[in-house]
Amino acid sequence: MSGTPRLRSAYPSTPNSGQRLPNSYGGGKGVSEPRVPLQVLSGPPQDPQAPLVPFSLVDAPSQRLYITFFYLGLTVWRLWDHQRLVSDDSDSLWLFMKWVAIDSVFLYGLPGLKVPWLQWSATTMTILFAVHAIADAVLMFRIPIPVEAWLVAFTRLFYDRELAVSERRVKPATILQNSSLILGKQIIHILPEGSAMLNPEQAPYCIDTVTTSVDLPIRVNQTNPISIELLRIDLDTNLNETITINPKEIRKLKKQAEKRFLHHEPASPRLLQYAVKQTGLYRLQKVVDESKLEVQRRLSDALVVRCPSASIKTVPENKCMGDLSNFHLRVDATAPIIVKYSKIVKGEERGRVVLSIPPENLASPLVRQRTSGALITGNPAANVDVSWARTQSTDIPLNESLGVIGDWEYSIDEVEDGCGNRVTYNNSHLVEFYRQRQISTLPLRQKFSVHERPKAYLQGCDSQRPLRVPKGKSIRLPVEIGQIRPNELDHGAHSFKFSYQFTPSADILPNQEHAKNASFADFQLGNNAASHEISAPGLYTLRSVQSAFCAGEVLEPSSCLLSNPTEPSLNIDSQTIPDRCAGNSVGLTVDLDLTGTPPFRIAYIIRRRGGHVTPEVKETDLLHTQLEFRPAHSGHYTYEFLEISDSVYKEPRSLRDQIFVLEQDVKPPASARFLDPYPNRKTCIGEPVSLGIQLMGDAPWNLDYEIVHQGRRHKRKLDAIDTSIFTLTTDELSNGGEYSVALTAVTDRAGCKVSLEQETKIEVALQRPKASFGVIDGHRTILALAGRPVKLPLRLQGEAPWTVTHRKQNSDDLITSQFRNSNPDIEVREAGVYELVTVNDATCPGNLDAALNTFKVDWIPRPQVRMSESALVELVDDKFIKRDICEGDEDAVELSFTGTPPFDVEYDHEREPERGQRSTNTKKFTAGIRLASVRMDSSIAGLHRYKISKLSDLSYSHDRLSFVPVVVEQRVQARPAAAFFEGGMTYKYCKEEEAGGENVPISLQGKPPFLLEVEIRHHSSAKPEVVTIPNIETNRYNLHIPHRLLALGTHVLRIRKIKDANGCHRRMGQEAPAVHVNVAEVPSISALEALTDYCVGDRIAYTLSGSPPFNVFYTFQGQERKASSKTTDFRRLAEKPGEFTITAVTDQRSAECKAHVQITKTIHEMPSVRVSKGRTASVDIHEGGEAKILFEFGGTPPFEFSYTRSSNPPKGKKPQILETKSDVSYEHTKTVLASDEGIYEVVAIKDRFCAFSTQKVSRTSGQKLLTYR
């Protein structure tokens, strides 16, 4: 065993029996002495440290294990005696003495076994015996040990939560250590000497004729200057000058600055606005304060330059298309310069252009990025070159091709110099400002009117088509201008200058070219010159064209030949026309020979002796023509030719000097002709025809004519016709077809019969037109879908086109239609009987068959749904009201349909339950026949509304316009219900209240009056008592339990049946909820402290008497609450301020036996303080100055508070408290003046009732007082 290897953490190995051990009671030494040879004895050696039980029999670890088991057995025996003592209440003293004796024997006898590690010193044994004796006394005398409190205290190290007055667990530390009660701190820094700075914002400045001066800002901080010197470097000469601002001017500037900083802190920096009127580079050179010391200056320059300006060097506005704009922008500014201009073409903006102009040689600090406010380096008093800040004049050429005709406009929008000064020219307010002050401005706009280049040509004349002009007359040179838009006329571009070349006719070369001696001439068109006239014959060629603005182009044809044709003339020759029958002259033939340029126009007159004169005109394109005169009446006729003209000489030339006059006596032969210019006629069958005829010759006349039809000729003759115009009326034409009426001969008074060739055609219709309705499916009736157009077939006979008039019976509106098809349709949109009124074809009126001229149109009936009234259904306000039913009962509604089955029905089932939200469910079904049954829903009590919203059948889809929804309403009455307000509970009534009887509240649902059956069963009785209560008029009933039905103990109350006024009833089973009733004592509660005022974070404690657990009823912040306690102690943490009032308490025996009390405690809010509005504020002051520290309190005055001043530590180190002060405030705010540097913050605050501190807090006499270390 001794050689067994062991870990470092294991117990040390058991010493060997032969090894010499030190004395267990301190007699041995730590170092062994040299061995001394011993004398050999006669007997075996004796070791005084040897164990009582040899290790060879039981090793040391086993002995220790057996002793441990023996000790555990004694402990179990001890605990068993303790338990038996609790149950049997035996003699505690005897048991205590027994276990003290057993422990003494065990403990003091243990060293005698000499087991290693169990051999302790006498002191250790005494301590162990004392501990066991104390444990024996605690167990046997039943001394309570607060183990639970120790466990709670240990648990709170990790989970510290308490019940607060709001009945929720909160962490006390978050309430007791509320860091939001003290907020904010004030940091005061003592600044070094004041400072001054020119142009702190590095703003640009410029002056011009409008802005004659600028204000340079000088920022002064924590100083009161009395003298300021500015250094100015002239931009043109590089010379410098010193500007001194005297104290008077400084005071004026400070007053102006104070007005601008009226609402700021007094220690805030001030801006002194100093006005300058000259350009230059300004620098703050020296500032002296009231102490005659120079103030620290921060290096910053202010550059005042001439304001940038831009203008346009204007050029003439009129340009031709394709020209260049060719104008310049003039810019005067400090480089680098940015110019923005815009371009507008024909009223539309074509973009904005930005031009950048760098400085010369790029030597300007304005183009570099600045890290400070200084623009120059070195000593400014020496010669410093500031030429880079001078105004630079630059001309920017703008050359752009003007390729669009119309108005162009270039305008300068904005110019910006290198300093950042920007001038905007498109600002209407700026323009108005200039105008009001009569400030002249440079031109900022360049406008162009871009014109079309003219193109000219000669129209209607070329070398092949010359101009023919009468001799001595002139004609307009046919010049035409092409591609000139209307807007050109608005710009005055309609004046054109032309140049042409002319060669007389005699000098024209054979190849139709100009001769060398051709002349040139100019002329102008437009304005006052409308045309250019030419008269000389020859060749004209257009050489150039130019408008008022642009040179143009001459197009082909450009040449024209002018000639003077021969004047027109006439020669005549005549011959007489004889009558072959009588030999008389019946007319005259005249031959005309013409010279000139066709066409010719010859004017002549025909004069009859004793009659009137008839002027005539003969027009011809021939050079030889013939006239034939055949007068219709007898007499002496004179023919005289008066004038002649042709296409060139349009003015008629008189022929009277040539005496072209012919005379003749005429006796014309008989003749006849039809007056109707149309040779063919159409007429109806069975009607005569009237024809107009003109007769010529000497009256009276005899006329022969014939009528030809189907190869048959019918000759007729009319005698003794006295008038030259008469009407020939035929017999009735009874057969259809074509008739020919021919005039065959006419005989006048002389008896000469003349054959005629006059004929006209008459087309007689074979029959009169007819009209009738056709049939649809063998009938002249139709069933159609309502609202859709219906086409009624027509059958027409005759010649197209037909005109048909129809109407709807019982209507006066006639509808006329025209058709070219013999089988057309008439479209109708209404139901009814339609009849034909008239019919006409292209020639004749027609006939109508009374049996076939009507057509009936009926609509297919739309689907409808109906519900008949009965004893169970009543129609009220267009709604069907069905009789009420009880919840769960079966019911249905019968519907009848009209239309074409099957029917698709959609209805909305809307539920309005007595409790809950309204819901709507849409359902659909299909009815195959005209009857259907819809099951009514009775699963949910309330109003059920069934609205049939959509209905369609085989023929019609749903039509929301024509369909009238059907609404059925039924109320499902809820079955009455009864329940105890607190089912399953035990009503623990108080003992002193038993004599008066008890009331158990019951909730009744339904329509009163109610009938209620209740059974009452005592726990010791098997037979219940049944109580019937009729005519309960309310929904809440307090069941009165008569004293005779109650006995001591527990009673079970159960509802058996309920019935309401609707006739609905509900029977309860054994599973119905029940309540119990018993009698109990009244508990009590009292406060542990007499205090009435508490603070947030305090604990309010009470003691309870009765049978735990308890229910404590109280009100807090106007809200009633309920809490429970398993012990006789009731304690809550004051989490929030308010009134905490205990109103009642109940215990386990009867929750209804409330002990009504009125114990009120007032919980006050912890005082709070805010420094500098609750923020960390930093104030900079000068040495000797003061800063205000504002304290704002919350709570009930008066307030006592303590605050500290700490050092301003460097970053990363904690501040050190320098001093602590206390003060009192009777208001909610207090201001303290401080002049020392440091961090000021509050460490403690106390009001009338409560206190809070970040330092040590003690409790004295119910109030929290501040103690400071």
Side-chain angles (χ1 to χ4, degrees):
M1 294 296 292
S2 63
T4 303
R6 298 180 181 273
L7 298 175
R8 298 179 188 177
S9 59
Y11 290 104
S13 57
T14 304
N16 294 327
S17 60
Q19 185 177 356
R20 188 174 184 271
L21 296 176
N23 194 326
S24 299
Y25 299 98
K29 295 183 180 180
V31 181
S32 61
E33 296 178 356
R35 296 184 180 181
V36 179
L38 301 176
Q39 296 180 359
V40 179
L41 302 177
S42 59
Q46 297 292 330
D47 188 0
Q49 300 298 329
L52 183 62
V53 178
F55 292 148
S56 59
L57 181 61
V58 180
D59 59 4
S62 298
Q63 291 187 27
R64 288 194 293 270
L65 180 61
Y66 296 152
I67 294 172
T68 302
F69 286 158
F70 181 75
Y71 180 76
L72 292 177
L74 292 177
T75 302
V76 173
W77 185 15
R78 192 193 328 265
L79 294 177
W80 182 79
D81 281 349
H82 171 69
Q83 182 66 26
R84 187 169 56 87
L85 176 65
V86 173
S87 301
D88 298 342
D89 198 13
S90 301
D91 190 1
S92 300
L93 180 60
W94 183 86
L95 290 176
F96 169 71
M97 295 177 63
K98 182 183 80 171
W99 281 107
V100 168
I102 294 174
D103 290 338
S104 64
V105 172
F106 175 77
L107 293 175
Y108 287 104
L110 187 61
L113 298 178
K114 299 181 180 180
V115 178
W117 300 351
L118 297 180
Q119 301 180 33
W120 299 309
S121 63
T123 304
T124 303
M125 296 302 297
T126 304
I127 293 173
L128 290 176
F129 175 74
V131 171
H132 281 73
I134 293 173
D136 293 338
V138 169
L139 291 176
M140 301 310 154
F141 291 106
R142 292 182 295 181
I143 300 174
I145 300 177
V147 178
E148 182 178 356
W150 295 345
L151 292 177
V152 170
F154 180 76
T155 304
R156 285 185 177 178
L157 296 176
F158 306 98
Y159 181 80
D160 186 11
R161 294 290 189 273
E162 289 188 28
L163 275 175
V165 292
S166 59
E167 289 303 315
R168 65 185 185 96
R169 292 193 173 274
V170 296
K171 191 174 182 180
T174 60
I175 299 175
L176 297 175
Q177 302 174 5
N178 189 357
S179 60
S180 64
L181 297 177
I182 299 178
L183 295 176
K185 57 185 176 180
Q186 180 81 43
I187 302 176
I188 299 178
H189 294 283
I190 296 180
L191 295 178
E193 295 297 328
S195 62
M197 183 178 184
L198 175 65
N199 192 15
E201 301 296 333
Q202 299 181 13
Y205 300 96
C206 70
I207 58 177
D208 55 9
T209 57
V210 178
T211 306
T212 58
S213 65
V214 294
D215 293 335
L216 298 183
I218 304 174
R219 186 177 67 188
V220 294
N221 186 22
Q222 301 296 332
T223 185
N224 189 14
I226 61 173
S227 176
I228 299 175
E229 292 183 1
L230 292 176
L231 178 67
R232 172 184 171 271
I233 303 177
D234 190 89
L235 302 182
D236 297 327
T237 63
N238 291 334
L239 298 178
N240 56 56
E241 66 171 332
T242 301
I243 302 173
T244 302
I245 307 176
N246 54 46
K248 181 178 180 181
E249 292 178 325
I250 294 176
R251 286 194 298 271
K252 182 178 179 181
L253 296 178
K254 288 175 62 178
K255 288 181 180 179
Q256 296 174 355
E258 291 295 336
K259 293 179 181 179
R260 290 189 295 270
F261 283 83
L262 183 60
H263 300 289
H264 287 63
E265 294 292 335
S268 298
R270 296 293 186 265
L271 283 178
L272 308 181
Q273 302 288 349
Y274 180 70
V276 297
K277 298 183 178 180
Q278 291 180 312
T279 61
L281 180 67
Y282 291 84
R283 173 171 288 185
L284 197 62
Q285 181 169 281
K286 185 178 181 181
V287 179
V288 179
D289 62 4
E290 292 177 333
S291 60
K292 305 299 182 179
L293 297 177
E294 187 173 348
V295 178
Q296 180 183 0
R297 291 171 288 108
R298 297 185 181 181
L299 192 60
S300 179
D301 296 334
L303 182 60
V304 181
V305 298
R306 286 288 175 185
C307 290
S309 65
S311 62
I312 294 178
K313 291 184 177 180
T314 58
V315 297
E317 294 186 0
N318 292 302
K319 295 282 185 177
C320 298
M321 187 174 67
D323 290 349
L324 297 177
S325 56
N326 193 21
F327 69 98
H328 292 75
L329 300 180
R330 178 67 178 267
V331 182
D332 297 325
T334 300
I337 308 170
I338 298 176
V339 181
K340 296 181 182 179
Y341 71 92
S342 58
K343 179 176 61 177
I344 299 175
V345 180
K346 297 177 69 173
E348 295 182 1
E349 186 172 345
R350 294 295 181 90
R352 299 177 182 268
V353 181
V354 180
L355 301 177
S356 297
I357 305 172
E360 296 179 359
N361 302 325
L362 300 177
S364 174
L366 299 177
V367 300
R368 299 190 299 266
Q369 184 175 4
R370 290 187 292 166
T371 58
S372 66
L375 292 172
I376 58 176
T377 58
N379 184 9
N383 292 330
V384 178
D385 184 13
V386 291
S387 59
W388 48 267
R390 296 171 186 169
T391 300
Q392 173 182 328
S393 297
T394 306
D395 288 342
I396 306 172
L398 294 181
N399 275 324
E400 182 178 1
S401 178
L402 306 175
V404 178
I405 299 173
D407 293 333
W408 290 55
E409 181 180 345
Y410 294 85
S411 61
I412 300 176
D413 296 333
E414 185 179 283
V415 60
E416 182 179 351
D417 63 7
C419 303
N421 298 300
R422 183 182 297 118
V423 177
T424 303
Y425 292 106
N426 57 4
N427 190 335
S428 60
H429 299 288
L430 182 62
V431 175
E432 180 66 18
F433 177 81
Y434 287 163
R435 187 189 65 80
Q436 291 178 357
R437 286 160 178 76
Q438 298 181 354
I439 299 174
S440 61
T441 59
L442 297 174
L444 301 174
R445 287 179 172 80
Q446 173 65 59
K447 295 184 178 180
F448 291 115
S449 294
V450 181
H451 305 279
E452 178 78 23
R453 295 183 181 273
K455 296 181 180 180
Y457 61 94
L458 299 178
Q459 184 178 24
C461 178
D462 53 26
S463 59
Q464 303 300 324
R465 295 179 296 170
L467 290 176
R468 293 181 173 89
V469 182
K471 294 178 181 180
K473 299 292 184 181
S474 63
I475 191 172
R476 184 183 69 86
L477 185 63
V479 178
E480 293 293 335
I481 306 297
Q483 299 183 1
I484 297 298
R485 292 169 172 79
N487 62 346
E488 291 294 309
L489 303 178
D490 300 335
H491 291 83
H494 59 287
S495 177
F496 302 95
K497 184 178 181 181
F498 300 88
S499 174
Y500 67 93
Q501 187 180 10
F502 170 70
T503 299
S505 299
D507 299 336
I508 298 175
L509 298 179
N511 59 354
Q512 296 296 315
E513 293 293 335
H514 287 277
K516 293 183 178 180
N517 59 350
S519 62
F520 290 88
D522 296 332
F523 67 92
Q524 190 169 354
L525 296 181
N527 295 335
N528 297 327
S531 63
H532 179 68
E533 301 290 330
I534 56 175
S535 60
L539 181 62
Y540 294 83
T541 300
L542 195 62
R543 291 304 182 187
S544 66
V545 60
Q546 184 175 359
S547 68
F549 311 108
C550 305
E553 179 183 359
V554 177
L555 305 177
E556 294 296 333
S558 61
S559 297
C560 180
L561 184 64
L562 177 66
S563 63
N564 297 136
T566 306
E567 295 181 4
S569 62
L570 172 67
N571 289 321
I572 62 174
D573 186 18
S574 62
Q575 291 181 358
T576 303
I577 301 174
D579 185 4
R580 291 177 296 177
C581 176
N584 299 323
S585 176
V586 297
L588 188 68
T589 300
V590 181
D591 293 324
L592 303 177
D593 293 323
L594 304 168
T595 58
T597 304
F600 299 94
R601 190 174 186 274
I602 303 118
Y604 63 93
I605 61 173
I606 301 174
R607 183 183 297 112
R608 180 185 179 189
R609 183 181 297 171
H612 60 279
V613 178
T614 303
E616 297 289 344
V617 175
K618 173 67 176 179
E619 294 182 357
T620 179
D621 293 331
L622 304 176
L623 296 177
H624 177 79
T625 186
Q626 189 179 67
L627 291 176
E628 186 178 90
F629 300 107
R630 288 180 178 269
H633 302 282
S634 300
H636 181 79
Y637 288 88
T638 300
Y639 309 98
E640 182 179 0
F641 294 88
L642 303 176
E643 297 173 341
I644 185 172
S645 63
D646 62 4
S647 61
V648 176
Y649 297 88
K650 296 184 181 297
E651 293 184 3
R653 300 176 61 85
S654 176
L655 299 175
R656 293 182 183 275
D657 56 345
Q658 302 182 21
I659 313 176
F660 291 137
V661 180
L662 301 175
E663 294 184 4
Q664 182 187 27
D665 290 327
V666 177
K667 194 174 184 179
S671 178
R673 69 181 182 88
F674 290 107
L675 292 177
D676 192 351
Y678 302 102
N680 295 326
R681 296 171 175 270
K682 292 183 180 181
T683 186
C684 300
I685 190 171
E687 292 183 358
V689 177
S690 296
L691 302 173
I693 297 177
Q694 181 182 14
L695 299 174
M696 292 166 288
D698 295 333
W701 293 275
N702 296 327
L703 180 63
D704 295 329
Y705 70 95
E706 62 183 8
I707 298 175
V708 181
H709 176 61
Q710 294 181 353
R712 298 179 182 178
R713 294 178 179 271
H714 301 277
K715 295 185 177 181
R716 300 284 189 274
K717 185 177 182 181
L718 297 174
D719 298 328
I721 302 173
D722 296 330
T723 60
S724 61
I725 302 297
F726 80 101
T727 301
L728 173 63
T729 302
T730 66
D731 299 333
E732 293 183 357
L733 305 179
S734 58
N735 295 321
E738 184 180 74
Y739 287 79
S740 295
V741 179
L743 303 180
T744 57
V746 62
T747 304
D748 61 358
R749 185 175 58 181
C752 291
K753 186 175 182 180
V754 180
S755 298
L756 302 174
E757 295 181 354
Q758 292 288 324
E759 184 179 356
T760 185
K761 300 289 185 181
I762 301 173
E763 188 71 29
V764 179
L766 297 177
Q767 61 179 3
R768 289 185 178 273
K770 294 182 180 180
S772 64
F773 281 112
V775 295
I776 299 177
D777 296 334
H779 302 281
R780 288 185 177 83
T781 60
I782 186 174
L783 285 175
L785 297 179
R788 295 188 179 180
V790 179
K791 294 184 177 181
L792 306 182
L794 280 182
R795 300 296 177 259
L796 303 176
Q797 297 178 7
E799 183 178 359
W802 291 271
T803 301
V804 180
T805 302
H806 73 279
R807 69 177 181 180
K808 182 181 176 182
Q809 286 187 358
N810 300 326
S811 175
D812 296 334
D813 296 334
L814 297 179
I815 302 174
T816 301
S817 305
Q818 194 172 41
F819 307 101
R820 293 188 175 275
N821 181 13
S822 60
N823 297 290
D825 295 324
I826 295 177
E827 187 176 283
V828 298
R829 293 180 178 271
E830 296 180 0
V833 178
Y834 293 85
E835 62 179 356
L836 302 177
V837 180
T838 62
V839 61
N840 292 274
D841 65 356
T843 305
C844 306
N847 300 322
L848 298 173
D849 190 347
L852 305 178
N853 73 330
T854 59
F855 204 107
K856 184 177 182 181
V857 178
D858 287 331
W859 295 144
I860 298 174
R862 288 185 178 274
Q864 294 182 356
V865 59
R866 292 182 178 84
M867 178 188 296
S868 60
E869 296 186 52
S870 64
L872 302 180
V873 179
E874 182 181 0
L875 181 62
V876 177
D877 295 336
D878 297 331
K879 294 186 295 184
F880 291 94
I881 308 300
K882 205 165 170 34
R883 188 189 64 178
D884 296 354
I885 61 173
C886 296
E887 185 178 3
D889 291 350
E890 293 291 334
D891 197 6
V893 61
E894 298 293 335
L895 303 177
S896 61
F897 301 96
T898 58
T900 307
F903 302 93
D904 293 327
V905 183
E906 180 177 322
Y907 66 94
D908 299 328
H909 179 198
E910 182 180 354
R911 301 184 183 92
E912 294 183 12
E914 296 178 354
R915 296 180 180 86
Q917 296 181 350
R918 177 186 300 180
S919 62
T920 302
N921 186 21
T922 302
K923 298 182 179 180
K924 300 179 181 179
F925 70 90
T926 300
I929 59 176
R930 288 184 169 85
L931 293 176
S933 177
V934 178
R935 180 178 175 272
M936 312 297 279
D937 185 9
S938 62
S939 61
I940 300 176
L943 180 62
H944 292 254
R945 184 179 293 106
Y946 304 84
K947 180 181 180 181
I948 301 178
S949 56
K950 292 184 180 180
L951 176 64
S952 60
D953 62 357
L954 187 62
S955 300
Y956 291 93
S957 298
H958 174 70
D959 185 3
R960 61 183 181 85
L961 297 178
S962 61
F963 178 71
V964 178
V966 176
V967 180
V968 181
E969 287 187 358
Q970 185 180 46
R971 180 169 296 280
V972 176
Q973 301 292 347
R975 291 189 180 274
F980 296 104
F981 273 93
E982 297 177 348
M985 284 194 60
T986 300
Y987 288 89
K988 299 179 179 181
Y989 294 107
C990 302
K991 182 178 180 180
E992 59 271 16
E993 298 175 359
E994 179 187 356
E998 309 303 339
N999 292 326
V1000 178
I1002 299 177
S1003 173
L1004 303 174
Q1005 297 180 5
K1007 183 178 180 181
F1010 300 95
L1011 175 67
L1012 184 67
E1013 289 186 4
V1014 180
E1015 70 174 26
I1016 303 174
R1017 185 191 304 271
H1018 193 266
H1019 70 281
S1020 61
S1021 174
K1023 182 180 179 181
E1025 295 284 344
V1026 178
V1027 179
T1028 300
I1029 306 102
N1031 298 325
I1032 301 176
E1033 297 293 341
T1034 61
N1035 292 91
R1036 178 187 176 95
Y1037 180 70
N1038 292 324
L1039 177 61
H1040 178 72
I1041 305 175
H1043 176 68
R1044 60 181 179 83
L1045 298 178
L1046 293 178
L1048 294 177
T1050 302
H1051 300 77
V1052 178
L1053 275 71
R1054 181 175 285 110
I1055 300 173
R1056 300 182 61 177
K1057 179 181 177 183
I1058 182 174
K1059 182 178 181 181
D1060 65 356
N1062 293 322
C1064 301
H1065 68 277
R1066 184 190 300 271
R1067 184 175 295 276
M1068 311 290 185
Q1070 291 299 320
E1071 68 279 2
V1075 296
H1076 300 78
V1077 178
N1078 60 13
V1079 178
E1081 294 290 339
V1082 177
S1084 64
I1085 184 171
S1086 60
L1088 289 179
E1089 296 178 316
L1091 298 176
T1092 57
D1093 293 307
Y1094 287 81
C1095 300
V1096 172
D1098 290 348
R1099 293 171 177 82
I1100 306 175
Y1102 301 87
T1103 181
L1104 300 168
S1105 63
S1107 177
F1110 298 92
N1111 290 327
V1112 180
F1113 299 88
Y1114 64 92
T1115 58
F1116 180 66
Q1117 292 183 339
Q1119 183 178 359
E1120 295 183 357
R1121 303 175 187 268
K1122 177 182 177 182
S1124 60
S1125 177
K1126 297 181 180 180
T1127 64
T1128 58
D1129 294 330
F1130 178 72
R1131 186 177 68 169
R1132 287 294 182 267
L1133 180 66
E1135 175 193 10
K1136 300 177 182 178
E1139 292 288 336
F1140 182 80
T1141 302
I1142 303 291
T1143 58
V1145 61
T1146 61
D1147 63 356
Q1148 181 184 16
R1149 287 191 295 267
S1150 176
E1152 294 301 327
C1153 291
K1154 290 184 179 180
H1156 295 281
V1157 295
Q1158 195 72 19
I1159 305 175
T1160 301
K1161 306 291 185 181
T1162 302
I1163 303 174
H1164 298 279
E1165 179 68 73
M1166 293 293 290
S1168 62
V1169 60
R1170 282 167 173 76
V1171 183
S1172 299
K1173 301 295 183 179
R1175 299 186 299 270
T1176 299
S1178 179
V1179 178
D1180 298 332
I1181 62 174
H1182 282 291
E1183 188 71 31
E1186 290 183 336
K1188 293 182 180 180
I1189 305 176
L1190 176 65
F1191 298 91
E1192 296 176 307
F1193 304 100
T1196 305
F1199 300 97
E1200 299 179 16
F1201 64 99
S1202 298
Y1203 62 95
T1204 61
R1205 182 176 68 88
S1206 305
S1207 61
N1208 290 326
K1211 187 176 181 180
K1213 294 185 178 180
K1214 294 183 178 180
Q1216 299 293 326
I1217 296 178
L1218 302 178
E1219 62 176 328
T1220 302
K1221 294 183 179 181
S1222 299
D1223 205 341
V1224 178
S1225 174
Y1226 295 93
E1227 303 293 337
H1228 284 85
T1229 58
K1230 187 178 182 66
T1231 301
V1232 176
L1233 297 178
S1235 60
D1236 296 329
E1237 185 178 42
I1239 302 174
Y1240 293 82
E1241 53 187 338
V1242 177
V1243 296
I1245 177 67
K1246 175 187 176 184
D1247 67 352
R1248 182 178 178 183
F1249 299 102
C1250 305
F1252 177 77
S1253 175
T1254 57
Q1255 298 178 341
K1256 181 180 178 181
V1257 181
S1258 64
R1259 180 74 178 267
T1260 304
S1261 301
Q1263 295 289 337
K1264 294 185 178 179
L1265 301 178
L1266 299 182
T1267 59
Y1268 308 108
R1269 292 186 261 190

